Amino acid sequence: MGTRRDFLKGVLASGAAATAGAVAVPAAARETRSRPPEALGLLYDGTLCVGCKACVAACKEANNNPAEFSTVDHLWDTPLDTSGYTFNLIKMYRNGTMDAKDQETNGYAFMKTSCMHCADPSCVSACPVSAMTKDPETGVVGYNPDKCIGCRYCVAACPFGIPKYQYDSPTGRIGKCELCRHRHKDGHYSACAEVCPTGATLFGRTEDLLAEAKRRIAMKPGELNRFPRGRLRPAQEKMLQGQPDGKGERKRKGWRHEPDQSYETPAGKYLQHVYGEKEYGGTQVLKLSGVNFEKLGMPNLPPDAAAAMSETIQHNLYGNLIMPFAVLGAMTWVAKRNVKPEDESSDKEGS
Amino acid sequence: MANHQHAAPAPVGGSLVNIVTLSCGVLIALMAAILMVRFLFGLGAVTALNDGYPWGIWIAVDVVIGSAFACGGFSVAMLVYIFNKGEYHPLVRPALLASLFGYTLAGAGVMFDLGRWWNVWNMFWPGSINPNSVMFEVAVCISLYIVVMWIEFSPVVMEQFGKRDMKKKVSKAMFFIIALGTVLPMMHQSSLGTLLVVMGGQVHPLWQTPALPLLYLLSAIFMGYAVVLFESCLTSTAYRRKIETQMLTPMAKIMLGILAVFIVVRLGDVIVRGALPKAFVPSVEALMFWLEMACFIAPLILIGAEANRRNPAKLFLAGVLLMLGGALMRLSGFLIGYETGGDFNYFPTLAEVLVTAGMFAAEVLGYIIITRRFPVLPREEAIH
Ligand code: SF4
Ligand code: SF4
Ligand code: SF4
């Protein structure tokens, strides 16, 4: 009897539990993360790029990836987009008569597509089994196929459309740039930067690369300036100092020796925007361009990462399972009072 | 509770071979053949999936929508055991059974979609799990819930095989199982919405909001009741039994109450975030939004009046509309309103549709076999 009263009790109990849960877990927002201090990355300067695609070929070789064809004769590796087998691609923007480089109307421009190694990566937040991880020291976002379940949540989550799955294989993997982390232990850095003839793709600590990017956008267009190639020197010096803590072989060993490859050339006409400095809390790969980034396929992203919002919701609701247990407690209490008579009556009916 | 005089559940009986079960069998066989190709040659061999649309209907329909359709068990159990509305007790078993099948198959469906399914144990391996991942939470809750539902349902099997002692033992712990059976779906149904949050601006502003968990939870609850309306009307017609309007009418009222709250939250959220103007630009997304809204608002008009709630045809229609509305909201969030940039397109292949159809056929077949052979539906003289 007293159904209505019990009903109210049920409502009150579950309401109280929900409130208790909400109070016990203060609504703390998870801030967008920033890059680790020793973060490694690339600086891609579209004004220096000549579209030779040496970096695309080098990436294929370094990652043991097969050629992909888009022409009838199947003569050259001609991928149209990054894929499970192509982690780095130079895409071309063209408009009208294509008179001049780095010009939005009647011009053309180049843009590199590869993983941005986000400070607060969506792919890492999304991955249920920690197959996508961010190295706490270098910040490189790596992939582990032995853990990956192939759910493709990372593919859906990445704002740059970077992780790609191999749909043509029964044992398909996710493919994406890992900044050539497998070559670091031999003193090699990212293959794309190693081979780039113009220094358009440059390797280094993101902090140094950011300083270099700022130096470039301050240049007067057309003025003769010196541009480094391969990797930025400060990175080398830091690495070669060797860390006494002995953490990580790469750090002690440093990068392979390389002669200074810098050269002089007139500065391009830069947009006053270092892409990746602030987007989604920053990325470790930075980009410079003469043409609007969105036109080149780089999305316009807010300074707060979606991963931070997702994890804020997740942890406020389920942090330490306080809320679920509070609700479960209330539900158990109510159910214990309500379930018993049912079973007795059904037993009676059954006999 | 004893004042509610319910007929005890009993098997419906009758033949298991008829046109419905045979069609289900054919669909299931087709599904099996397609899945064989999928596992031998990869996802690309049978699906239209691509890197712009890494999730197709196997996720959006079979799992996200399918599991919401399977919320009848949870919605009714809440009513009966938590809010102590004993008068709805006869609805518990059939609803639970439908949920059991819905979820078990959604769980199986995920396995078809996983590209590296042999690694799935990592989902439960302490060294691998990622508690920050919304998908991790969804997967664990759904897996647990499937187990919980089988335990909830086990007395039915024990009754049938006369294992009365065993049933008594299970009954002692049942209150806890039932409580778990309400908390787990609340957790993962809300999180199915949260899955979209990390996708950020790739999901259209009409469906991307921090309110997603609340929207998905509320809609899962009223969809649960809607499915019960749908199923009750359908089973009554198919087995030629009396329609249980005395239970369905008041339950529909509760459903409308939750629906009203949901509509306020849904519209309020769109307005507060300033996304409403997007509903007025001529686009597929805007059209989908209004279709969805129409499905939510129509039932309020259709069965808003008590007299209309006694009309089985109207109850059935309202149930179908709400199932459709909830399904549209999910489909729009996961597929239609998802845009990753670049020129990617996705439209399911026939093979994908057949697998989805095969999954639903497996549910229907299972439901028929069990209701005909096990004590699920209230005892009644069926006309056969
Ligand atoms: S190697 Fe350098 S110049 Fe050549 S396409 Fe790549 S980034 Fe551009
Ligand atoms: S660009 Fe995409 S894949 Fe790379 S770290 Fe960021 S979210 Fe992950
Ligand atoms: S596809 Fe693999 S790497 Fe990507 S989220 Fe799923 S398990 Fe993680």
Side-chain angles (χ1 to χ4, degrees):
Chain A
M1 286 302 290
T3 316
R4 177 158 295 268
R5 192 182 297 161
D6 287 343
F7 177 78
L8 283 176
K9 269 190 195 157
V11 175
L12 287 177
S14 41
T19 321
V23 172
V25 189
R30 202 278 255 156
E31 299 293 328
T32 295
R33 299 203 175 97
S34 42
R35 308 175 192 96
E38 290 301 312
L40 296 174
L42 301 169
L43 170 62
Y44 172 77
D45 184 336
T47 71
L48 289 179
C49 179
V50 295
C52 68
K53 297 193 267 187
C55 53
V56 180
C59 177
K60 283 257 154 144
E61 207 182 297
N63 290 292
N64 249 324
N65 273 332
E68 287 189 291
F69 304 105
S70 60
T71 56
V72 266
D73 44 22
H74 283 209
L75 282 178
W76 293 287
D77 178 33
T78 47
L80 295 177
D81 200 349
T82 55
S83 74
Y85 306 101
T86 301
F87 307 162
N88 173 37
L89 200 62
I90 299 295
K91 291 188 185 174
M92 191 180 191
Y93 162 86
R94 16 167 122 214
N95 181 279
T97 54
M98 290 173 55
D99 282 343
K101 190 163 174 277
D102 301 317
Q103 181 175 295
E104 200 170 307
T105 35
N106 288 330
Y108 65 98
F110 297 112
M111 182 45 71
K112 176 179 162 83
T113 308
S114 59
C115 177
M116 300 292 284
H117 297 278
C118 306
D120 199 344
S122 308
C123 59
V124 172
S125 171
C127 182
V129 292
S130 315
M132 286 285 180
T133 46
K134 187 166 178 69
D135 188 299
E137 200 183 328
T138 63
V140 171
V141 176
Y143 169 66
N144 178 0
D146 297 329
K147 281 188 176 177
C148 173
I149 59 171
C151 67
R152 310 183 301 286
Y153 192 18
C154 54
V155 181
C158 171
F160 304 101
I162 290 304
K164 303 259 158 120
Y165 176 73
Q166 301 166 343
Y167 297 91
D168 63 344
S169 158
T171 57
R173 299 174 170 208
I174 294 292
K176 86 175 232 339
C177 157
E178 300 179 55
L179 216 65
C180 285
R181 60 173 180 150
H182 61 296
R183 303 170 82 239
H184 292 184
K185 59 178 179 297
D186 301 327
H188 283 288
Y189 49 96
S190 306
C192 54
E194 245 176 24
V195 301
C196 179
T198 64
T201 299
L202 194 65
F203 178 84
R205 290 171 66 236
T206 303
E207 209 182 282
D208 304 333
L209 294 171
L210 185 59
E212 170 69 8
K214 296 232 159 121
R215 178 181 81 97
R216 291 189 194 178
I217 58 176
M219 290 173 183
K220 221 159 87 207
E223 202 180 55
L224 213 58
N225 271 286
R226 185 155 281 276
F227 291 90
R229 280 188 289 188
R231 65 179 154 77
L232 264 186
R233 317 307 289 174
Q236 179 190 27
E237 282 144 25
K238 277 237 161 168
M239 290 295 166
L240 286 175
Q241 280 164 11
Q243 300 297 324
D245 62 341
K247 251 200 268 153
E249 197 190 348
R250 174 192 52 69
K251 215 169 174 185
R252 256 173 299 148
K253 207 169 151 195
W255 309 110
R256 273 157 48 120
H257 177 74
E258 216 176 57
D260 182 7
Q261 304 181 74
S262 62
Y263 69 112
E264 279 198 336
T265 191
K269 213 170 151 209
Y270 293 102
L271 290 178
Q272 293 300 308
H273 179 184
V274 181
Y275 192 98
E277 184 186 2
K278 303 221 168 75
E279 279 77 7
Y280 259 34
T283 57
Q284 294 180 198
V285 172
L286 306 171
K287 291 179 174 176
L288 292 176
S289 166
V291 171
N292 181 297
F293 282 101
E294 265 188 282
K295 289 238 152 61
L296 302 180
M298 301 304 298
N300 185 5
L301 296 176
D304 288 320
M309 172 59 85
S310 177
E311 290 180 24
T312 297
I313 294 178
Q314 191 69 358
H315 292 310
N316 277 324
L317 290 177
Y318 307 115
N320 297 323
L321 293 178
I322 292 171
M323 176 108 117
F325 275 123
V327 179
L328 178 62
M331 292 296 175
T332 312
W333 183 72
V334 183
K336 190 163 165 71
R337 303 168 62 251
N338 293 340
V339 171
K340 225 172 178 179
E342 283 305 327
D343 286 323
E344 276 166 9
S345 71
S346 94
D347 273 1
K348 261 177 233 144
E349 281 162 325
S351 51
Chain B
M1 202 75 55
N3 55 342
H4 302 299
Q5 289 303 328
H6 300 313
V12 174
S15 168
L16 292 182
V17 185
N18 58 41
I19 183 75
V20 179
T21 53
L22 286 179
S23 326
C24 287
V26 171
L27 284 172
I28 295 169
L30 278 173
M31 168 174 80
I34 294 166
L35 288 176
M36 199 143 91
V37 178
R38 176 259 171 272
F39 282 110
L40 285 177
F41 301 103
L43 280 165
V46 296
T47 71
L49 294 175
N50 54 64
D51 286 311
Y53 292 93
W55 288 350
I57 58 169
W58 291 357
I59 295 295
V61 177
D62 300 14
V63 179
V64 181
I65 296 175
S67 75
F69 280 177
C71 277
F74 144 67
S75 293
V76 173
M78 282 250 285
L79 213 52
V80 172
Y81 298 117
I82 304 301
F83 297 132
N84 204 16
K85 298 283 205 183
E87 60 268 36
Y88 298 110
H89 200 259
L91 295 177
V92 169
R93 278 191 179 179
L96 178 63
L97 179 64
S99 299
L100 189 59
F101 276 109
Y103 268 100
T104 307
L105 286 162
V110 168
M111 294 298 290
F112 306 156
D113 192 76
L114 287 185
R116 299 177 71 76
W117 46 271
W118 58 91
N119 281 336
V120 75
W121 53 272
N122 281 289
M123 201 70 112
F124 309 98
W125 184 252
S128 295
I129 61 170
N130 173 15
N132 293 332
S133 166
V134 183
M135 181 177 284
F136 163 70
E137 195 257 327
V138 169
V140 170
C141 282
I142 290 190
S143 311
L144 264 178
Y145 184 47
I146 292 175
V147 176
V148 162
M149 273 194 293
W150 280 103
I151 301 177
E152 270 185 83
F153 194 72
S154 64
V156 176
V157 182
M158 294 168 187
E159 244 168 59
Q160 182 67 3
F161 294 115
K163 303 252 189 265
R164 301 196 50 77
D165 295 346
M166 216 199 241
K167 189 191 158 192
K168 275 230 171 71
K169 265 185 212 144
V170 177
S171 297
K172 283 218 180 86
M174 198 50 96
F175 70 92
F176 180 68
I177 294 293
I178 285 171
L180 256 182
T182 56
V183 177
L184 288 171
M186 282 196 233
M187 288 173 74
H188 67 246
Q189 282 300 331
S190 56
S191 293
L192 279 168
T194 320
L195 273 180
L196 294 177
V197 173
V198 76
M199 301 181 195
Q202 298 176 99
V203 176
H204 192 279
L206 286 171
W207 293 279
Q208 179 61 287
T209 156
L212 275 167
L214 184 57
L215 289 173
Y216 272 58
L217 176 60
L218 288 173
S219 60
I221 297 175
F222 70 65
M223 283 166 86
Y225 295 129
V227 169
V228 173
L229 288 181
F230 173 82
E231 270 160 10
S232 303
C233 294
L234 212 63
T235 349
S236 303
T237 317
Y239 290 158
R240 295 187 208 147
R241 302 156 71 104
K242 194 162 90 306
I243 291 183
E244 303 128 325
T245 30
Q246 80 284 0
M247 280 183 279
L248 300 184
T249 303
M251 193 192 75
K253 191 172 177 185
I254 296 171
M255 177 181 82
L256 290 189
I258 296 164
L259 173 65
V261 176
F262 167 84
I263 293 176
V264 171
V265 178
R266 177 84 173 97
L267 280 177
D269 167 68
V270 168
I271 293 166
V272 168
R273 283 184 303 109
L276 195 61
K278 299 257 185 227
F280 294 98
V281 269
S283 63
V284 181
E285 283 83 6
L287 178 71
M288 292 306 292
F289 177 76
W290 290 115
L291 267 180
E292 175 194 319
M293 279 328 282
C295 289
F296 290 141
I297 292 167
L300 289 177
I301 301 163
L302 193 67
I303 55 167
E306 178 75 23
N308 290 336
R309 279 199 292 277
R310 288 201 201 95
N311 180 333
K314 288 190 177 164
L315 282 180
F316 179 77
L317 188 59
V320 171
L321 280 171
L322 284 186
M323 286 166 71
L324 193 65
L328 283 178
M329 180 174 88
R330 285 159 173 78
L331 195 67
S332 295
F334 278 82
L335 276 177
I336 298 168
Y338 180 79
E339 179 73 68
T340 192
D343 24 46
F344 290 104
N345 288 300
Y346 169 79
F347 193 82
T349 60
L350 181 63
E352 280 178 272
V353 176
L354 280 173
V355 169
T356 297
M359 299 285 277
F360 279 96
E363 277 172 50
V364 172
L365 186 64
Y367 190 86
I368 293 176
I369 294 178
I370 299 223
T371 51
R372 281 189 188 272
R373 290 291 175 267
F374 290 84
V376 174
L377 295 172
R379 189 191 307 276
E380 190 175 335
E381 291 310 314
I383 323 145
H384 280 288

